[in-house]
Amino acid sequence: AHYYRISEPDDPTNWGPEQSFKHPHSISYMNLYRHPPDDTLYNFYRDTRGTYCPAYLISKDHGETWQPGRQLILHGLQGRHRPYPRYWSDGEYIHVSFTEAHPQEYRDPGCSIYYAKFKGGKFYRADGSPIKDIRKDGALLPAEAETVCSGAAQHNAWTSSIVTDTEGRVYFSTNVDPAHGTCNTSG
């Protein structure tokens, strides 16, 4: 289960009662984002018993109740892997950067960092062109997203943060294993 409280609208120091949502499985790494265009509250998390991949819940009533969402990202690799995502909302899109696996466990051929933006159940590239509709086509695979940093054998990169500016430019912060140089960026 995950536990939460909601503050009063006019007094963020006045918290309501503790509430909970019982998941059918274990979860971790929750990230909460309000998305004004579709008046939805998203709770992105990792499913720790099933796919180990990012998924989400949604609330259409400001967190009072939650509905199951969908699997957000799948790793697309053989075996069991854990993509590491970072999220950012600019008020129109939820931007996502992610790896296909845990960089220290996927050292050969090495993790890459990918990017897509999400809005209304659909994924888009940085230029706004559509990638896929999650409701019709399923979760996003790394091969469908834009490559920000190409992995190489023993070249480990982590996505540590993502943000946009007022011009709509997307900025990434990555941690790269210093023994293996810098990110090979593309696109």
Side-chain angles (χ1 to χ4, degrees):
H2 81 257
Y3 299 90
Y4 62 98
R5 292 178 183 263
I6 301 170
S7 70
E8 293 299 319
D10 297 326
D11 183 2
T13 64
N14 187 5
W15 294 94
E18 183 178 282
Q19 300 179 63
S20 67
F21 179 86
K22 293 192 186 285
H23 293 264
H25 43 73
S26 296
I27 65 165
S28 64
Y29 300 120
M30 294 189 298
N31 294 269
L32 198 59
Y33 286 89
R34 184 174 166 275
H35 194 242
D38 59 3
D39 197 29
T40 301
L41 192 59
Y42 286 89
N43 190 349
F44 297 102
Y45 65 92
R46 178 195 288 164
D47 169 1
T48 59
R49 274 205 209 151
T51 65
Y52 272 81
C53 292
Y56 65 91
L57 300 171
I58 60 172
S59 175
K60 291 288 196 174
D61 58 7
H62 308 286
E64 292 294 332
T65 61
W66 292 93
Q67 305 163 21
R70 298 185 179 275
Q71 195 74 55
L72 185 72
I73 298 168
L74 290 173
H75 55 70
L77 303 170
Q78 293 291 329
R80 190 176 186 145
H81 292 280
R82 302 171 288 168
Y84 278 78
R86 295 294 183 257
Y87 307 97
W88 168 259
S89 176
D90 65 7
E92 182 178 358
Y93 292 98
I94 296 171
H95 301 263
V96 185
S97 63
F98 62 99
T99 62
E100 67 268 68
H102 187 294
Q104 292 183 346
E105 294 173 3
Y106 194 64
R107 296 180 72 87
D108 190 14
C111 278
S112 294
I113 297 175
Y114 304 92
Y115 167 79
K117 52 188 181 179
F118 185 70
K119 177 181 178 179
K122 296 178 182 175
F123 289 102
Y124 299 88
R125 289 180 181 79
D127 67 5
S129 60
I131 298 174
K132 70 191 307 185
D133 184 324
I134 199 168
R135 295 164 295 214
K136 295 178 192 172
D137 306 317
L140 185 67
L141 295 167
E144 298 167 328
E146 293 184 88
T147 303
V148 174
C149 177
S150 297
Q154 300 299 309
H155 179 80
N156 299 311
W158 291 81
T159 178
S160 60
S161 61
I162 181 172
V163 69
T164 57
D165 67 13
T166 57
E167 303 293 319
R169 291 178 290 221
V170 181
Y171 296 85
F172 300 91
S173 176
T174 62
N175 295 327
V176 178
D177 183 344
H180 299 99
T182 60
C183 258
N184 300 319
T185 57
S186 65

